[in-house]
Amino acid sequence: MRILLLTHSFNSLAQRLYVELSARGHELSIEFDVNDEVSLEAVELFQPELIIAPFLKRALPEAIWGRYLTWIVHPGIEGDRGPSSLDWAIQEGETEWGVTLLQANGEMDAGDIWATATFPLRAARKSSIYRHEVTEAALRCVFEALGKLGDPSFKPRPLDYARPGVRGRLRPLMKQENRRIDWASDSTTTILARIRAADGTPGVLDHLAGRDWYLFDAHPESALRGEPGALLGRREGAILRATRDGALWLGQLKEKRADGLALKLPATFALGEAAAALPELALPAEGKGNETYRDIYYQEADGVGMLSFDFYNGAMSTRQCQRLVEALRAAKERPTRVLLLLGGADFWSNGIHLNTIEASGYGADESWANINAMDDLTLEILSTSRQWTLAAMRGNAGAGGVFLALAADQVYAAPGVVLNPHYKSMGNLYGSEYWTYLLPRRVGWERARAIMSHRLPIGAAEAAALGLIDGVLGRDRVDFAQRIQAYAAGLAASITLDGRLAVKREHRANDETAKPLATYRAEELERMRLNFYGFDPSYHVARYNFVYNVPYSRTPLHLAKHRRLGWRVPGETVAQERLAG
Ligand code: COA
């Protein structure tokens, strides 16, 4: 089918739909819902058989839904309506939530229902629930509904609150007054739920060190205590704040400013001197059930060293890269033979930290420092000679983050992972992280060029078929985590591993003789120097637009197939007939 994804932005859900629907042979194009006129123009150009709207911020005009079958993905259970569905569900401690696929009509979220799917609501932040449970449930709904399209006897059912099992209701936009925290009287559980419900956006507005901040990225602390509301200390980028019955780590802050020009930043970076004055709190000794904050974590089991690096949004600042290099060096000193690199639970890595770069005030210099730190990290993985390295992508990866994984000896991904192995969307950035060595050695130069220039997301299965990664493991991400650990343990115990390690060292030595890694790096960095310090400001402009969430005024042509030169509408369509009938 010819399917148009009409969406506010090409977010993770829209990308996953794009990947899964394309893999099933559908013809996809994407249009950002900028305004009625532009969206209508797109629809007329593409003449879709079906429109799917995964992420909208406004109601669509009748000129679209009245003429084209349009499905809206609503992140709520049947009957739920309103713009803050997940926020209410998380904040109010729902144990089960869901997704409903509605046919667009004149009333927001009240269209006829094509499919619904539910899931247990994990205790996690909103953005994580959206990227995992909501996305999986949305896919289930879309595929169920696509199946029903071919059934002429099927009619989507109207929303009926009298129907047994319809628990949802119309909820208003959640405002800051609904999110407010009283540190003196609210429990840790309440505060944690509030910050989790607001994560991603908009955060919980609060007052800290004399200024107003939106809070994000809260983690419970089970050992330390203090005067409710007091700041107790800092660790890595986070600060610890006492509650009446415990304490919470706050990882990210965004200042409330009249002009709205504020960035979400690691809390210690955002607070500056106020955070520097706090005591540095060392990690406690390991204890069962101990909850605390750590972004880099090393463990060993069954002869396998496991290193996870759970950086918020997968963004890796200069300092985080340097700390990770130290952790990697320590892991490489251990008498293990397999090193499992686990990335983060939500993202493997999204490359250099564009927010800390922007906030540094020295965009070019800090970009340079950050890309060099990423390169050092990639090199540290590449130069692991005594251990077999495995990259386990539990979550999505973008730009330099993908190439970081390719530095490992083998790369596996969980099903559902979406990769964006390209830099160009960030203002024509050339990219580094040794990609000119790592990508062609896996897929050849022709494919490497195509991947880099198409700038489209690639699903894990497609990535495996292309040879970009070695495979997809497990039924879901929980199963993936178990399987990759079992695989790593099997390797560590295998009698053939020494042989494999010897071959790897030989290959590396041969490659080094053919062209030293330092040359690849120098060539890439020469191009990056132009991106950062040259006359073309595209990268700095693109970074600014990205970190300040400047909305698109048009859809980039690599996404909007219908706007490309030479696009022609094929013949009559199925869904238009359905709608007419
Ligand atoms: N630096 C800082 N923040 C980043 C980031 C980066 N490299 N990559 C992603 N983020 C942040 C986003 O700003 C967003 O922040 P939010 O908490 O305010 O929502 C969050 O991570 C999620 O990103 P989003 O774009 O909504 O996720 P997605 O799954 O829809 O898209 C990507 C994933 C990778 C396509 C997209 O985030 C991207 O293009 N990132 C930039 C990659 C890049 O150019 N890196 C630098 C070059 S090495």
CSV table of all heavy atoms in Angstrom, one decimal, residues 24 94 116 119 121 127 228 240 284 542:
chain,number,residue,atom,x,y,z
A,24,ARG,N,7.7,-4.6,5.1
A,24,ARG,CA,6.6,-5.5,4.6
A,24,ARG,C,6.2,-5.1,3.2
A,24,ARG,O,5.1,-5.5,2.8
A,24,ARG,CB,5.5,-5.4,5.6
A,24,ARG,CG,5.8,-6.3,6.8
A,24,ARG,CD,4.9,-5.9,8.0
A,24,ARG,NE,5.2,-6.7,9.2
A,24,ARG,CZ,6.2,-6.5,10.0
A,24,ARG,NH1,7.1,-5.6,9.8
A,24,ARG,NH2,6.3,-7.3,11.1
A,94,GLU,N,-1.2,4.0,37.4
A,94,GLU,CA,-1.9,2.9,36.6
A,94,GLU,C,-1.0,1.7,36.5
A,94,GLU,O,0.2,1.9,36.4
A,94,GLU,CB,-2.3,3.4,35.2
A,94,GLU,CG,-3.3,4.5,35.1
A,94,GLU,CD,-4.7,4.0,35.3
A,94,GLU,OE1,-5.0,2.8,35.3
A,94,GLU,OE2,-5.6,4.9,35.4
A,116,THR,N,-7.1,-1.8,19.6
A,116,THR,CA,-6.4,-1.4,20.8
A,116,THR,C,-5.5,-2.5,21.3
A,116,THR,O,-5.7,-3.6,21.0
A,116,THR,CB,-7.5,-1.2,22.0
A,116,THR,OG1,-8.1,-2.4,22.2
A,116,THR,CG2,-8.5,-0.1,21.7
A,119,PHE,N,-0.7,-3.0,27.8
A,119,PHE,CA,0.6,-3.5,28.3
A,119,PHE,C,0.7,-3.2,29.8
A,119,PHE,O,0.1,-2.2,30.2
A,119,PHE,CB,1.8,-2.9,27.6
A,119,PHE,CG,1.7,-1.4,27.4
A,119,PHE,CD1,2.2,-0.6,28.5
A,119,PHE,CD2,1.3,-0.8,26.3
A,119,PHE,CE1,2.1,0.8,28.4
A,119,PHE,CE2,1.2,0.6,26.2
A,119,PHE,CZ,1.6,1.4,27.2
A,121,LEU,N,2.1,-1.4,32.8
A,121,LEU,CA,2.8,-0.1,32.9
A,121,LEU,C,4.0,-0.3,33.8
A,121,LEU,O,3.8,-0.3,35.1
A,121,LEU,CB,1.9,1.0,33.3
A,121,LEU,CG,2.4,2.4,33.2
A,121,LEU,CD1,2.9,2.7,31.7
A,121,LEU,CD2,1.3,3.4,33.5
A,127,SER,N,9.4,8.8,28.7
A,127,SER,CA,10.0,8.7,27.4
A,127,SER,C,10.4,7.2,27.1
A,127,SER,O,10.4,6.7,26.0
A,127,SER,CB,11.3,9.6,27.2
A,127,SER,OG,12.0,9.5,28.4
A,228,PRO,N,14.5,17.3,54.4
A,228,PRO,CA,13.7,17.3,53.2
A,228,PRO,C,13.9,18.6,52.3
A,228,PRO,O,13.9,19.7,52.9
A,228,PRO,CB,12.2,17.2,53.7
A,228,PRO,CG,12.4,16.6,55.1
A,228,PRO,CD,13.7,17.0,55.6
A,240,LEU,N,22.0,15.0,44.5
A,240,LEU,CA,21.1,14.3,45.3
A,240,LEU,C,20.2,15.2,46.2
A,240,LEU,O,20.8,16.1,46.9
A,240,LEU,CB,21.9,13.3,46.2
A,240,LEU,CG,21.1,12.4,47.1
A,240,LEU,CD1,20.3,11.4,46.4
A,240,LEU,CD2,22.0,11.7,48.1
A,284,PRO,N,28.6,3.7,46.9
A,284,PRO,CA,28.7,2.8,48.1
A,284,PRO,C,29.1,1.4,47.6
A,284,PRO,O,29.0,1.1,46.4
A,284,PRO,CB,27.2,2.8,48.6
A,284,PRO,CG,26.4,3.1,47.4
A,284,PRO,CD,27.2,4.0,46.5
A,542,ALA,N,22.3,23.7,12.4
A,542,ALA,CA,21.5,22.5,12.6
A,542,ALA,C,21.5,22.1,14.1
A,542,ALA,O,20.5,21.7,14.7
A,542,ALA,CB,22.1,21.3,11.8
